[in-house]
Amino acid sequence: VLWMHRLMSKPGASVLVTAGGTPFLISAPYGKGKVIACAGTVHGTVPAGTTAFWNWSGWPQLLARCISQ
């Protein structure tokens, strides 16, 4: 992950994915469902030779697993 916002999980929330040791995807119950917060940001220019997380081939599968948990 090239750029991230800082997230802090609240009590009852689960850190689903970390990047560089800090929370990247957090899930928390909300009403009859849940909320998932993503710290990744699309700001900036992706350096040559790197893959942005949103272009990573595993990104759709990762999100699907987070939603289904």
Side-chain angles (χ1 to χ4, degrees), residues 37-51:
C38 178
T41 179
V42 297
H43 295 181
T45 302
V46 179
T50 61
T51 301

Side-chain angles (χ1 to χ4, degrees), residues 6-7 11 13 15 21 26 29 36 42 44 58-59 63 66:
R6 292 194 177 260
L7 293 180
V15 176
I26 297 175
I36 296 176
V42 297
W59 183 240
L63 288 180
C66 291

Side-chain angles (χ1 to χ4, degrees), residues 2-42:
L2 302 171
W3 308 279
M4 285 179 42
H5 298 284
R6 292 194 177 260
L7 293 180
M8 293 177 54
S9 61
K10 292 184 174 186
S14 300
V15 176
L16 303 175
V17 177
T18 61
T22 61
F24 179 71
L25 288 171
I26 297 175
S27 176
Y30 186 80
K32 294 181 182 179
K34 65 178 162 182
V35 173
I36 296 176
C38 178
T41 179
V42 297

